[in-house]
Amino acid sequence: MMLPVILFVDDDHNVLNGLRRMLAPQQNRWNMLFAHDAADALRIVDQTEVDVVVADIRMPGMDGATLLRHIRTARPTTLRLVLSGYTEETSHLHTSSLAHQSISKPCDAARLVPALEDALRLRPLIADDDLYGRLSRLDALPSLPETLREVLAELNAPNPSLRRLGTLIQRDMALSANLLRLVNSAFYGFARRISMPEQAVVLLGVRALRSLVLAAHLFDSLGGAPVAVRQLTGLWEHGVRTSGLAQGIATQAGLSHEERDNALSAGLLHDVGKLALAAIAPDRVNAVFERMAAGEGSFIDIERRHHKATHADVGSYLLGTWGLPIPVVTAIARHHNPADSETVLGTVTVVHVANAIDHLLQTPDAIDALLAEGGNLTLPGCDMRHLETLGVLDALPAWLQVARDRLQAVQPA
């Protein structure tokens, strides 16, 4: 089995030598190549199938941005990472879709090795090379406004300031509206109405806020893709409901604060692969909807029969390359098949259950009818055998009650 190829590019020989020493323990796992300038890197890329390129930004002659632009065109399936001490340039690369992720200098093995492992883990998700190339060229954050750039930069800082985040978000009317619309949804369960972005930031915390801000922008930006828009209009609302339900179920199940945050994020973003596909392969998405209308099954069933990658694969790959936490990425990838990744109750199963509940049970009466089945309770679309294996089957009525309570809260008086 061939080792994955990782190319490091930096004009500073001391940096390259430091990387060689730091990553020496990985030499049996990765084929690591080193280039001292962009021209040398391009020669290597022309002759070798490189899986990941890690480039500095400021280099004499051809700079890192130009190099990555060449690689994006010539080798769209190569993952592109930036290793740089220059925050402004790194941020700019994200906006222009030249880099999938950025890592700031100085960087030790404890940060760099997991980042490379995560990048390499994502590639097998997309078996369709044409689709993979299209995804690689998709703008990570289309038409990213200046305020959102600053918000994401602050969220990615070592010690983000909640006060500064609230101030930044309040400057942007659309961003403030999206955030307040989210936190005031009954599905998030806050006891009082939140009227100020600063309040929302404090209540949500940094981990949840990053995904919520990103999701709001993604749905706004990709939602206008040339696809059967009627079929996608409910996607945002479904994500909000699933997110709130997943967070509520995780809380009821006694999962950790971090797992509850991950459930909120993954629930909100679990179907973002559909939006990405609408942007890069609209004919394919329309064909899936046509087969659904003909009674051939659900979206995921049709994808599995007719395509090499599902929307869950696409969404998890895309968000993984953008640096979202791996538990969130895994939950997105496995939200239809949790048994493939969990042997104890966690984020994947919680999002799987929340997704099944929201697809089928849109009213408290529908949940009451299901609960009335008692010992014969079965939730369509949910892997009941998996719940039994985890030993949580008896918890399903309580989780349905969480959904019922939240649905009741949004019913008109």
Side-chain angles (χ1 to χ4, degrees), residues 20-39:
R20 284 191 179 95
R21 290 192 299 270
M22 182 172 67
L23 298 175
Q26 314 301 325
Q27 59 187 355
N28 293 328
R29 303 172 57 212
W30 304 332
N31 179 11
M32 292 176 284
L33 306 176
F34 300 87
H36 60 83
D37 59 29

Side-chain angles (χ1 to χ4, degrees), residues 192-380:
R192 57 190 173 86
R193 184 164 183 82
I194 312 303
S195 59
M196 298 296 291
E198 295 98 325
Q199 295 173 302
V201 168
V202 172
L203 286 170
L204 289 167
V206 171
R207 282 195 298 263
L209 183 64
R210 185 168 188 263
S211 292
L212 288 172
V213 169
L214 180 59
H217 184 70
L218 281 173
F219 275 83
D220 283 347
S221 300
L222 297 179
V227 72
V229 176
R230 293 190 308 275
Q231 306 285 5
L232 293 176
T233 52
L235 208 57
W236 169 258
E237 290 77 11
H238 169 59
V240 171
R241 292 192 303 266
T242 301
S243 175
L245 289 177
Q247 185 189 46
I249 291 170
T251 300
Q252 201 280 335
L255 298 187
S256 69
H257 183 72
E258 182 176 356
E259 288 175 306
R260 296 198 298 271
D261 282 348
N262 288 339
L264 183 155
S265 299
L268 186 63
L269 294 164
H270 72 279
D271 272 342
V272 76
K274 291 181 180 178
L275 286 178
L277 285 168
I280 63 174
D283 291 345
R284 168 175 154 172
V285 177
N286 280 325
V288 172
F289 282 129
E290 289 171 3
R291 291 178 185 273
M292 288 174 64
E296 293 189 24
S298 67
F299 199 101
I300 190 72
D301 291 336
I302 294 168
E303 285 184 310
R304 285 170 174 163
R305 287 198 302 271
H306 296 281
H307 302 288
K308 294 179 181 179
T310 68
H311 69 279
D313 299 325
V314 169
S316 59
Y317 167 77
L318 194 61
L319 295 175
T321 61
W322 298 350
L324 265 70
I326 287 300
V328 173
V329 172
T330 302
I332 293 168
R334 304 300 180 206
H335 71 270
H336 286 288
N337 50 318
D340 289 352
S341 60
E342 278 192 348
T343 55
V344 297
L345 180 65
T347 303
V348 178
T349 301
V350 164
V351 172
H352 171 73
V353 173
N355 182 50
I357 291 174
D358 188 68
H359 271 305
L360 293 163
L361 306 171
Q362 292 295 312
T363 67
D365 289 343
I367 295 179
D368 287 340
L370 189 61
L371 286 169
E373 296 181 9
N376 297 319
L377 176 61
T378 299
L379 177 61

Side-chain angles (χ1 to χ4, degrees), residues 84-123:
S84 175
Y86 299 95
T87 303
E88 290 182 2
E89 284 81 359
T90 300
S91 176
H92 174 70
L93 282 174
H94 272 293
T95 67
S96 60
S97 183
L98 294 177
H100 292 102
Q101 288 189 46
S102 61
I103 306 167
S104 60
K105 291 179 181 176
C107 180
D108 57 17
R111 289 183 59 210
L112 183 56
V113 171
L116 292 170
E117 288 175 337
D118 291 345
L120 291 168
R121 190 181 295 118
L122 294 168
R123 178 59 181 96

Side-chain angles (χ1 to χ4, degrees), residues 101-149:
Q101 288 189 46
S102 61
I103 306 167
S104 60
K105 291 179 181 176
C107 180
D108 57 17
R111 289 183 59 210
L112 183 56
V113 171
L116 292 170
E117 288 175 337
D118 291 345
L120 291 168
R121 190 181 295 118
L122 294 168
R123 178 59 181 96
L125 287 172
I126 310 299
D128 184 328
D129 286 342
D130 176 64
L131 184 63
Y132 185 81
R134 295 190 198 187
L135 275 174
S136 182
R137 289 186 290 267
L138 179 66
D139 278 352
L141 295 172
S143 61
L144 189 66
E146 181 62 31
T147 299
L148 187 52
R149 272 202 300 271

